[in-house]
PDB file of all heavy atoms in Angstrom:
ATOM      1  N   ILE A   1       1.809 -26.176  -8.668  1.00 96.00           N
ATOM      2  CA  ILE A   1       2.534 -27.090  -7.783  1.00 96.00           C
ATOM      3  C   ILE A   1       1.720 -28.392  -7.638  1.00 96.00           C
ATOM      4  O   ILE A   1       2.207 -29.503  -7.602  1.00 96.00           O
ATOM      5  CB  ILE A   1       2.867 -26.478  -6.423  1.00 96.00           C
ATOM      6  CG1 ILE A   1       3.848 -25.320  -6.681  1.00 96.00           C
ATOM      7  CG2 ILE A   1       3.384 -27.520  -5.471  1.00 96.00           C
ATOM      8  CD1 ILE A   1       4.005 -24.387  -5.470  1.00 96.00           C
ATOM      9  N   ASP A   2       0.426 -28.266  -7.504  1.00 96.00           N
ATOM     10  CA  ASP A   2      -0.458 -29.407  -7.419  1.00 96.00           C
ATOM     11  C   ASP A   2      -0.416 -30.323  -8.575  1.00 96.00           C
ATOM     12  O   ASP A   2      -0.706 -31.516  -8.566  1.00 96.00           O
ATOM     13  CB  ASP A   2      -1.969 -29.013  -7.139  1.00 96.00           C
ATOM     14  CG  ASP A   2      -2.149 -28.614  -5.673  1.00 96.00           C
ATOM     15  OD1 ASP A   2      -1.334 -28.934  -4.861  1.00 96.00           O
ATOM     16  OD2 ASP A   2      -3.155 -27.887  -5.416  1.00 96.00           O
ATOM     17  N   MET A   3      -0.139 -29.693  -9.752  1.00 95.00           N
ATOM     18  CA  MET A   3      -0.086 -30.404 -11.059  1.00 95.00           C
ATOM     19  C   MET A   3       1.246 -31.214 -11.156  1.00 95.00           C
ATOM     20  O   MET A   3       1.329 -32.175 -11.950  1.00 95.00           O
ATOM     21  CB  MET A   3      -0.094 -29.465 -12.210  1.00 95.00           C
ATOM     22  CG  MET A   3      -1.491 -28.812 -12.513  1.00 95.00           C
ATOM     23  SD  MET A   3      -1.270 -27.713 -14.000  1.00 95.00           S
ATOM     24  CE  MET A   3      -2.788 -26.849 -13.795  1.00 95.00           C
ATOM     25  N   ALA A   4       2.254 -30.847 -10.369  1.00 96.00           N
ATOM     26  CA  ALA A   4       3.568 -31.469 -10.559  1.00 96.00           C
ATOM     27  C   ALA A   4       3.433 -32.868 -10.114  1.00 96.00           C
ATOM     28  O   ALA A   4       2.648 -33.300  -9.271  1.00 96.00           O
ATOM     29  CB  ALA A   4       4.560 -30.722  -9.622  1.00 96.00           C
ATOM     30  N   PRO A   5       4.348 -33.726 -10.722  1.00 95.00           N
ATOM     31  CA  PRO A   5       4.300 -35.162 -10.262  1.00 95.00           C
ATOM     32  C   PRO A   5       4.475 -35.249  -8.816  1.00 95.00           C
ATOM     33  O   PRO A   5       5.235 -34.513  -8.168  1.00 95.00           O
ATOM     34  CB  PRO A   5       5.570 -35.759 -11.061  1.00 95.00           C
ATOM     35  CG  PRO A   5       5.750 -34.811 -12.182  1.00 95.00           C
ATOM     36  CD  PRO A   5       5.261 -33.492 -11.802  1.00 95.00           C
ATOM     37  N   GLU A   6       3.779 -36.203  -8.234  1.00 94.00           N
ATOM     38  CA  GLU A   6       3.771 -36.354  -6.751  1.00 94.00           C
ATOM     39  C   GLU A   6       5.169 -36.459  -6.151  1.00 94.00           C
ATOM     40  O   GLU A   6       5.444 -35.763  -5.108  1.00 94.00           O
ATOM     41  CB  GLU A   6       2.971 -37.575  -6.391  1.00 94.00           C
ATOM     42  CG  GLU A   6       2.593 -37.667  -4.941  1.00 94.00           C
ATOM     43  CD  GLU A   6       1.695 -36.490  -4.428  1.00 94.00           C
ATOM     44  OE1 GLU A   6       0.750 -36.048  -5.194  1.00 94.00           O
ATOM     45  OE2 GLU A   6       1.970 -35.978  -3.335  1.00 94.00           O
ATOM     46  N   ALA A   7       6.083 -37.188  -6.757  1.00 94.00           N
ATOM     47  CA  ALA A   7       7.370 -37.354  -6.185  1.00 94.00           C
ATOM     48  C   ALA A   7       8.235 -36.070  -6.216  1.00 94.00           C
ATOM     49  O   ALA A   7       9.144 -35.934  -5.495  1.00 94.00           O
ATOM     50  CB  ALA A   7       8.173 -38.440  -7.053  1.00 94.00           C
ATOM     51  N   PHE A   8       7.754 -35.120  -7.045  1.00 96.00           N
ATOM     52  CA  PHE A   8       8.571 -33.893  -7.191  1.00 96.00           C
ATOM     53  C   PHE A   8       7.895 -32.613  -6.640  1.00 96.00           C
ATOM     54  O   PHE A   8       8.417 -31.497  -6.871  1.00 96.00           O
ATOM     55  CB  PHE A   8       8.972 -33.701  -8.586  1.00 96.00           C
ATOM     56  CG  PHE A   8       9.716 -34.865  -9.213  1.00 96.00           C
ATOM     57  CD1 PHE A   8       9.275 -35.419 -10.459  1.00 96.00           C
ATOM     58  CD2 PHE A   8      10.839 -35.429  -8.578  1.00 96.00           C
ATOM     59  CE1 PHE A   8       9.915 -36.534 -10.974  1.00 96.00           C
ATOM     60  CE2 PHE A   8      11.452 -36.491  -9.100  1.00 96.00           C
ATOM     61  CZ  PHE A   8      10.983 -37.048 -10.338  1.00 96.00           C
ATOM     62  N   LYS A   9       6.727 -32.800  -6.061  1.00 96.00           N
ATOM     63  CA  LYS A   9       5.913 -31.638  -5.641  1.00 96.00           C
ATOM     64  C   LYS A   9       6.750 -30.672  -4.764  1.00 96.00           C
ATOM     65  O   LYS A   9       6.743 -29.459  -4.910  1.00 96.00           O
ATOM     66  CB  LYS A   9       4.681 -32.024  -4.896  1.00 96.00           C
ATOM     67  CG  LYS A   9       3.444 -32.245  -5.836  1.00 96.00           C
ATOM     68  CD  LYS A   9       2.222 -32.493  -4.996  1.00 96.00           C
ATOM     69  CE  LYS A   9       0.942 -32.502  -5.771  1.00 96.00           C
ATOM     70  NZ  LYS A   9       0.899 -33.351  -7.006  1.00 96.00           N
ATOM     71  N   GLN A  10       7.381 -31.217  -3.768  1.00 97.00           N
ATOM     72  CA  GLN A  10       8.149 -30.339  -2.849  1.00 97.00           C
ATOM     73  C   GLN A  10       9.331 -29.661  -3.562  1.00 97.00           C
ATOM     74  O   GLN A  10       9.638 -28.530  -3.204  1.00 97.00           O
ATOM     75  CB  GLN A  10       8.626 -31.129  -1.642  1.00 97.00           C
ATOM     76  CG  GLN A  10       7.491 -31.523  -0.631  1.00 97.00           C
ATOM     77  CD  GLN A  10       6.657 -30.326  -0.171  1.00 97.00           C
ATOM     78  OE1 GLN A  10       7.252 -29.300   0.278  1.00 97.00           O
ATOM     79  NE2 GLN A  10       5.368 -30.486  -0.356  1.00 97.00           N
ATOM     80  N   ASP A  11       9.940 -30.406  -4.458  1.00 97.00           N
ATOM     81  CA  ASP A  11      11.060 -29.731  -5.253  1.00 97.00           C
ATOM     82  C   ASP A  11      10.641 -28.561  -6.064  1.00 97.00           C
ATOM     83  O   ASP A  11      11.261 -27.535  -6.094  1.00 97.00           O
ATOM     84  CB  ASP A  11      11.692 -30.817  -6.135  1.00 97.00           C
ATOM     85  CG  ASP A  11      12.153 -32.036  -5.407  1.00 97.00           C
ATOM     86  OD1 ASP A  11      13.270 -32.012  -4.792  1.00 97.00           O
ATOM     87  OD2 ASP A  11      11.450 -33.068  -5.363  1.00 97.00           O
ATOM     88  N   TYR A  12       9.393 -28.735  -6.651  1.00 97.00           N
ATOM     89  CA  TYR A  12       8.860 -27.635  -7.537  1.00 97.00           C
ATOM     90  C   TYR A  12       8.307 -26.476  -6.595  1.00 97.00           C
ATOM     91  O   TYR A  12       8.408 -25.286  -6.994  1.00 97.00           O
ATOM     92  CB  TYR A  12       7.884 -28.055  -8.568  1.00 97.00           C
ATOM     93  CG  TYR A  12       8.612 -28.760  -9.688  1.00 97.00           C
ATOM     94  CD1 TYR A  12       8.528 -30.100  -9.930  1.00 97.00           C
ATOM     95  CD2 TYR A  12       9.386 -28.009 -10.574  1.00 97.00           C
ATOM     96  CE1 TYR A  12       9.227 -30.698 -11.023  1.00 97.00           C
ATOM     97  CE2 TYR A  12      10.100 -28.567 -11.639  1.00 97.00           C
ATOM     98  CZ  TYR A  12      10.021 -29.976 -11.865  1.00 97.00           C
ATOM     99  OH  TYR A  12      10.699 -30.553 -12.864  1.00 97.00           O
ATOM    100  N   ALA A  13       7.717 -26.909  -5.515  1.00 97.00           N
ATOM    101  CA  ALA A  13       7.246 -25.866  -4.511  1.00 97.00           C
ATOM    102  C   ALA A  13       8.345 -24.946  -4.170  1.00 97.00           C
ATOM    103  O   ALA A  13       8.197 -23.711  -4.051  1.00 97.00           O
ATOM    104  CB  ALA A  13       6.545 -26.555  -3.337  1.00 97.00           C
ATOM    105  N   ALA A  14       9.575 -25.487  -3.866  1.00 97.00           N
ATOM    106  CA  ALA A  14      10.731 -24.777  -3.437  1.00 97.00           C
ATOM    107  C   ALA A  14      11.150 -23.717  -4.487  1.00 97.00           C
ATOM    108  O   ALA A  14      11.773 -22.739  -4.162  1.00 97.00           O
ATOM    109  CB  ALA A  14      11.893 -25.668  -3.065  1.00 97.00           C
ATOM    110  N   LEU A  15      10.831 -24.030  -5.746  1.00 97.00           N
ATOM    111  CA  LEU A  15      11.229 -23.137  -6.816  1.00 97.00           C
ATOM    112  C   LEU A  15      10.153 -22.090  -7.166  1.00 97.00           C
ATOM    113  O   LEU A  15      10.432 -20.900  -7.450  1.00 97.00           O
ATOM    114  CB  LEU A  15      11.527 -23.903  -8.130  1.00 97.00           C
ATOM    115  CG  LEU A  15      12.757 -24.903  -8.000  1.00 97.00           C
ATOM    116  CD1 LEU A  15      12.782 -25.699  -9.335  1.00 97.00           C
ATOM    117  CD2 LEU A  15      13.991 -24.076  -7.896  1.00 97.00           C
ATOM    118  N   ILE A  16       8.872 -22.574  -7.144  1.00 97.00           N
ATOM    119  CA  ILE A  16       7.772 -21.754  -7.638  1.00 97.00           C
ATOM    120  C   ILE A  16       7.166 -20.869  -6.537  1.00 97.00           C
ATOM    121  O   ILE A  16       6.906 -19.718  -6.726  1.00 97.00           O
ATOM    122  CB  ILE A  16       6.638 -22.608  -8.235  1.00 97.00           C
ATOM    123  CG1 ILE A  16       7.205 -23.374  -9.520  1.00 97.00           C
ATOM    124  CG2 ILE A  16       5.403 -21.792  -8.584  1.00 97.00           C
ATOM    125  CD1 ILE A  16       6.298 -24.410 -10.035  1.00 97.00           C
ATOM    126  N   ASP A  17       6.984 -21.336  -5.333  1.00 95.00           N
ATOM    127  CA  ASP A  17       6.339 -20.646  -4.257  1.00 95.00           C
ATOM    128  C   ASP A  17       7.305 -19.747  -3.620  1.00 95.00           C
ATOM    129  O   ASP A  17       8.372 -20.199  -2.986  1.00 95.00           O
ATOM    130  CB  ASP A  17       5.777 -21.642  -3.217  1.00 95.00           C
ATOM    131  CG  ASP A  17       4.896 -20.993  -2.216  1.00 95.00           C
ATOM    132  OD1 ASP A  17       5.033 -19.818  -1.890  1.00 95.00           O
ATOM    133  OD2 ASP A  17       4.043 -21.710  -1.580  1.00 95.00           O
ATOM    134  N   HIS A  18       7.079 -18.478  -3.704  1.00 91.00           N
ATOM    135  CA  HIS A  18       7.998 -17.396  -3.229  1.00 91.00           C
ATOM    136  C   HIS A  18       8.246 -17.492  -1.750  1.00 91.00           C
ATOM    137  O   HIS A  18       9.272 -16.993  -1.233  1.00 91.00           O
ATOM    138  CB  HIS A  18       7.526 -15.986  -3.544  1.00 91.00           C
ATOM    139  CG  HIS A  18       6.241 -15.639  -2.889  1.00 91.00           C
ATOM    140  ND1 HIS A  18       5.015 -15.983  -3.406  1.00 91.00           N
ATOM    141  CD2 HIS A  18       5.998 -14.901  -1.790  1.00 91.00           C
ATOM    142  CE1 HIS A  18       4.049 -15.538  -2.603  1.00 91.00           C
ATOM    143  NE2 HIS A  18       4.698 -14.900  -1.577  1.00 91.00           N
ATOM    144  N   ARG A  19       7.332 -18.164  -1.033  1.00 92.00           N
ATOM    145  CA  ARG A  19       7.425 -18.252   0.498  1.00 92.00           C
ATOM    146  C   ARG A  19       8.599 -19.141   0.908  1.00 92.00           C
ATOM    147  O   ARG A  19       9.131 -19.147   2.012  1.00 92.00           O
ATOM    148  CB  ARG A  19       6.167 -18.810   1.027  1.00 92.00           C
ATOM    149  CG  ARG A  19       5.020 -17.711   0.942  1.00 92.00           C
ATOM    150  CD  ARG A  19       3.686 -18.310   1.380  1.00 92.00           C
ATOM    151  NE  ARG A  19       3.251 -19.478   0.599  1.00 92.00           N
ATOM    152  CZ  ARG A  19       2.025 -20.085   0.645  1.00 92.00           C
ATOM    153  NH1 ARG A  19       1.204 -19.590   1.589  1.00 92.00           N
ATOM    154  NH2 ARG A  19       1.805 -21.054  -0.157  1.00 92.00           N
ATOM    155  N   PHE A  20       9.084 -19.926  -0.045  1.00 95.00           N
ATOM    156  CA  PHE A  20      10.283 -20.838   0.215  1.00 95.00           C
ATOM    157  C   PHE A  20      11.570 -20.106  -0.076  1.00 95.00           C
ATOM    158  O   PHE A  20      12.669 -20.659   0.210  1.00 95.00           O
ATOM    159  CB  PHE A  20      10.199 -22.053  -0.608  1.00 95.00           C
ATOM    160  CG  PHE A  20       9.143 -23.051  -0.168  1.00 95.00           C
ATOM    161  CD1 PHE A  20       7.858 -23.006  -0.740  1.00 95.00           C
ATOM    162  CD2 PHE A  20       9.506 -24.010   0.731  1.00 95.00           C
ATOM    163  CE1 PHE A  20       6.953 -23.930  -0.297  1.00 95.00           C
ATOM    164  CE2 PHE A  20       8.547 -24.899   1.151  1.00 95.00           C
ATOM    165  CZ  PHE A  20       7.282 -24.854   0.716  1.00 95.00           C
ATOM    166  N   HIS A  21      11.529 -18.889  -0.587  1.00 97.00           N
ATOM    167  CA  HIS A  21      12.837 -18.164  -0.976  1.00 97.00           C
ATOM    168  C   HIS A  21      13.244 -17.198   0.060  1.00 97.00           C
ATOM    169  O   HIS A  21      12.458 -16.541   0.721  1.00 97.00           O
ATOM    170  CB  HIS A  21      12.613 -17.333  -2.270  1.00 97.00           C
ATOM    171  CG  HIS A  21      11.988 -18.222  -3.336  1.00 97.00           C
ATOM    172  ND1 HIS A  21      11.224 -17.698  -4.365  1.00 97.00           N
ATOM    173  CD2 HIS A  21      12.101 -19.567  -3.599  1.00 97.00           C
ATOM    174  CE1 HIS A  21      10.807 -18.660  -5.205  1.00 97.00           C
ATOM    175  NE2 HIS A  21      11.321 -19.800  -4.684  1.00 97.00           N
ATOM    176  N   SER A  22      14.572 -17.133   0.370  1.00 97.00           N
ATOM    177  CA  SER A  22      15.082 -16.140   1.197  1.00 97.00           C
ATOM    178  C   SER A  22      14.904 -14.770   0.750  1.00 97.00           C
ATOM    179  O   SER A  22      14.658 -14.486  -0.424  1.00 97.00           O
ATOM    180  CB  SER A  22      16.560 -16.480   1.551  1.00 97.00           C
ATOM    181  OG  SER A  22      17.354 -16.127   0.401  1.00 97.00           O
ATOM    182  N   GLU A  23      15.063 -13.760   1.665  1.00 97.00           N
ATOM    183  CA  GLU A  23      14.925 -12.382   1.175  1.00 97.00           C
ATOM    184  C   GLU A  23      15.977 -12.054   0.167  1.00 97.00           C
ATOM    185  O   GLU A  23      15.624 -11.316  -0.780  1.00 97.00           O
ATOM    186  CB  GLU A  23      15.082 -11.472   2.508  1.00 97.00           C
ATOM    187  CG  GLU A  23      14.675 -10.048   2.234  1.00 97.00           C
ATOM    188  CD  GLU A  23      14.720  -9.176   3.518  1.00 97.00           C
ATOM    189  OE1 GLU A  23      14.404  -9.733   4.491  1.00 97.00           O
ATOM    190  OE2 GLU A  23      15.026  -8.007   3.407  1.00 97.00           O
ATOM    191  N   GLU A  24      17.127 -12.482   0.303  1.00 98.00           N
ATOM    192  CA  GLU A  24      18.275 -12.234  -0.626  1.00 98.00           C
ATOM    193  C   GLU A  24      18.018 -12.895  -1.941  1.00 98.00           C
ATOM    194  O   GLU A  24      18.183 -12.246  -2.939  1.00 98.00           O
ATOM    195  CB  GLU A  24      19.640 -12.765  -0.085  1.00 98.00           C
ATOM    196  CG  GLU A  24      20.380 -11.672   0.686  1.00 98.00           C
ATOM    197  CD  GLU A  24      21.878 -12.185   0.856  1.00 98.00           C
ATOM    198  OE1 GLU A  24      22.069 -13.288   1.273  1.00 98.00           O
ATOM    199  OE2 GLU A  24      22.814 -11.382   0.627  1.00 98.00           O
ATOM    200  N   GLU A  25      17.522 -14.111  -1.941  1.00 98.00           N
ATOM    201  CA  GLU A  25      17.229 -14.767  -3.197  1.00 98.00           C
ATOM    202  C   GLU A  25      16.148 -14.089  -3.961  1.00 98.00           C
ATOM    203  O   GLU A  25      16.241 -13.864  -5.158  1.00 98.00           O
ATOM    204  CB  GLU A  25      16.820 -16.270  -2.904  1.00 98.00           C
ATOM    205  CG  GLU A  25      17.960 -17.074  -2.510  1.00 98.00           C
ATOM    206  CD  GLU A  25      17.489 -18.452  -1.889  1.00 98.00           C
ATOM    207  OE1 GLU A  25      16.225 -18.624  -1.632  1.00 98.00           O
ATOM    208  OE2 GLU A  25      18.232 -19.318  -1.719  1.00 98.00           O
ATOM    209  N   ALA A  26      15.144 -13.661  -3.159  1.00 97.00           N
ATOM    210  CA  ALA A  26      13.991 -13.001  -3.813  1.00 97.00           C
ATOM    211  C   ALA A  26      14.405 -11.717  -4.418  1.00 97.00           C
ATOM    212  O   ALA A  26      13.946 -11.265  -5.515  1.00 97.00           O
ATOM    213  CB  ALA A  26      12.837 -12.795  -2.818  1.00 97.00           C
ATOM    214  N   PHE A  27      15.333 -10.947  -3.708  1.00 98.00           N
ATOM    215  CA  PHE A  27      15.800  -9.641  -4.196  1.00 98.00           C
ATOM    216  C   PHE A  27      16.569  -9.869  -5.504  1.00 98.00           C
ATOM    217  O   PHE A  27      16.309  -9.050  -6.484  1.00 98.00           O
ATOM    218  CB  PHE A  27      16.646  -8.952  -3.192  1.00 98.00           C
ATOM    219  CG  PHE A  27      17.286  -7.701  -3.769  1.00 98.00           C
ATOM    220  CD1 PHE A  27      16.505  -6.523  -3.972  1.00 98.00           C
ATOM    221  CD2 PHE A  27      18.654  -7.731  -4.078  1.00 98.00           C
ATOM    222  CE1 PHE A  27      17.103  -5.423  -4.582  1.00 98.00           C
ATOM    223  CE2 PHE A  27      19.169  -6.614  -4.693  1.00 98.00           C
ATOM    224  CZ  PHE A  27      18.425  -5.440  -4.997  1.00 98.00           C
ATOM    225  N   ILE A  28      17.495 -10.762  -5.551  1.00 98.00           N
ATOM    226  CA  ILE A  28      18.314 -11.009  -6.734  1.00 98.00           C
ATOM    227  C   ILE A  28      17.453 -11.309  -7.998  1.00 98.00           C
ATOM    228  O   ILE A  28      17.638 -10.785  -9.006  1.00 98.00           O
ATOM    229  CB  ILE A  28      19.369 -12.112  -6.473  1.00 98.00           C
ATOM    230  CG1 ILE A  28      20.300 -11.700  -5.374  1.00 98.00           C
ATOM    231  CG2 ILE A  28      20.041 -12.551  -7.804  1.00 98.00           C
ATOM    232  CD1 ILE A  28      21.314 -10.613  -5.879  1.00 98.00           C
ATOM    233  N   VAL A  29      16.443 -12.217  -7.721  1.00 98.00           N
ATOM    234  CA  VAL A  29      15.577 -12.535  -8.832  1.00 98.00           C
ATOM    235  C   VAL A  29      14.698 -11.302  -9.321  1.00 98.00           C
ATOM    236  O   VAL A  29      14.616 -11.112 -10.528  1.00 98.00           O
ATOM    237  CB  VAL A  29      14.672 -13.694  -8.466  1.00 98.00           C
ATOM    238  CG1 VAL A  29      13.630 -13.995  -9.616  1.00 98.00           C
ATOM    239  CG2 VAL A  29      15.504 -14.956  -8.244  1.00 98.00           C
ATOM    240  N   LYS A  30      14.261 -10.616  -8.349  1.00 97.00           N
ATOM    241  CA  LYS A  30      13.439  -9.384  -8.669  1.00 97.00           C
ATOM    242  C   LYS A  30      14.295  -8.372  -9.410  1.00 97.00           C
ATOM    243  O   LYS A  30      13.854  -7.801 -10.404  1.00 97.00           O
ATOM    244  CB  LYS A  30      12.813  -8.754  -7.447  1.00 97.00           C
ATOM    245  CG  LYS A  30      11.965  -7.544  -7.719  1.00 97.00           C
ATOM    246  CD  LYS A  30      10.810  -7.866  -8.563  1.00 97.00           C
ATOM    247  CE  LYS A  30      10.018  -6.601  -8.873  1.00 97.00           C
ATOM    248  NZ  LYS A  30       8.954  -6.843  -9.856  1.00 97.00           N
TER     249      LYS A  30
END
């Protein structure tokens, strides 16, 4: 996430960091 372009850091954090995912979203992906 730190490597991501500065303008898009939060956007990629929302995809990569599991702490941003709801329980249902995490379950479906798992």
